[in-house]
């Protein structure tokens, strides 16, 4: 378990993506809902094929999953990874760091995330 916590994550997220600030602030301090805002940002980046933005988001998620406290790790696993739609985005899967790829595949094995057709 790491020592990075929600407020450090949110500060970095808001600093990196200032347009998200109002939507994050509207979630009334609920980390899982704040994480869904982050997931939506990534999904828009995937839909737009914005590899730079998606890679930046994945690096941020990997950092806070690796070094975050239990609450952050749980939120990244269940409110971020579990809700990513990577089925038609192999290029995005390849940008996902190894720790999050492994976690995503564990969610697939548990039936909590959709299998990836290119990972058969």
């Amino acid at each position: 378990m790491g020592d990075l916590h929600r407020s450090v994550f949110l500060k970095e997220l808001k600093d990196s993506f200032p347009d998200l600030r109002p939507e994050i602030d509207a979630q009334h301090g609920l980390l899982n809902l704040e994480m869904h805002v982050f997931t939506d940002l990534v999904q828009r980046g995937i839909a737009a094929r914005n590899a730079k933005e998606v890679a930046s988001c994945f690096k941020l998620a990997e950092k806070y999953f690796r070094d975050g406290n239990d609450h952050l790790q749980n939120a990244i696993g269940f409110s971020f990874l579990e809700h990513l739609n990577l089925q038609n985005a192999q290029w995005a899967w390849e940008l996902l760091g190894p720790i999050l790829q492994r976690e995503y595949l564990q969610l697939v094995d548990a039936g909590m995330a959709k299998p990836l057709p290119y990972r058969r």
Side-chain angles (χ1 to χ4, degrees):
M1 177 179 89
D3 60 352
L4 295 177
H5 51 84
R6 175 186 167 272
S7 62
V8 176
F9 169 72
L10 290 178
K11 179 177 181 348
E12 187 169 350
L13 182 61
K14 290 175 182 180
D15 288 348
S16 299
F17 304 98
D19 291 348
L20 290 182
R21 183 177 300 276
E23 194 173 353
I24 290 170
D25 291 346
Q27 303 311 313
H28 307 291
L30 299 172
L31 179 57
N32 288 328
L33 296 179
E34 294 162 341
M35 198 61 69
H36 283 293
V37 172
F38 182 45
T39 306
D40 291 345
L41 171 69
V42 174
Q43 285 304 147
R44 287 190 301 271
I46 290 171
R49 298 194 59 82
N50 186 340
K52 182 178 177 182
E53 182 175 84
V54 171
S56 176
C57 290
F58 284 169
K59 285 178 100 171
L60 187 67
E62 180 106 3
K63 171 184 174 181
Y64 284 92
F65 187 82
R66 182 188 62 237
D67 299 330
N69 63 21
D70 287 341
H71 296 291
L72 264 180
Q73 289 174 351
N74 184 56
I76 291 168
F78 295 106
S79 295
F80 179 72
L81 286 176
E82 182 178 335
H83 296 279
L84 282 180
N85 182 349
L86 299 169
Q87 281 63 46
N88 297 313
Q90 184 171 356
W91 65 270
W93 168 259
E94 292 168 0
L95 294 175
L96 196 60
I99 294 170
L100 294 183
Q101 282 184 348
R102 187 170 49 250
E103 185 69 16
Y104 185 91
L105 293 174
Q106 288 176 355
L107 290 168
V108 169
D109 289 345
M112 299 173 75
K114 294 179 183 176
L116 303 172
Y118 45 84
R119 296 262 327 146
R120 293 181 189 208

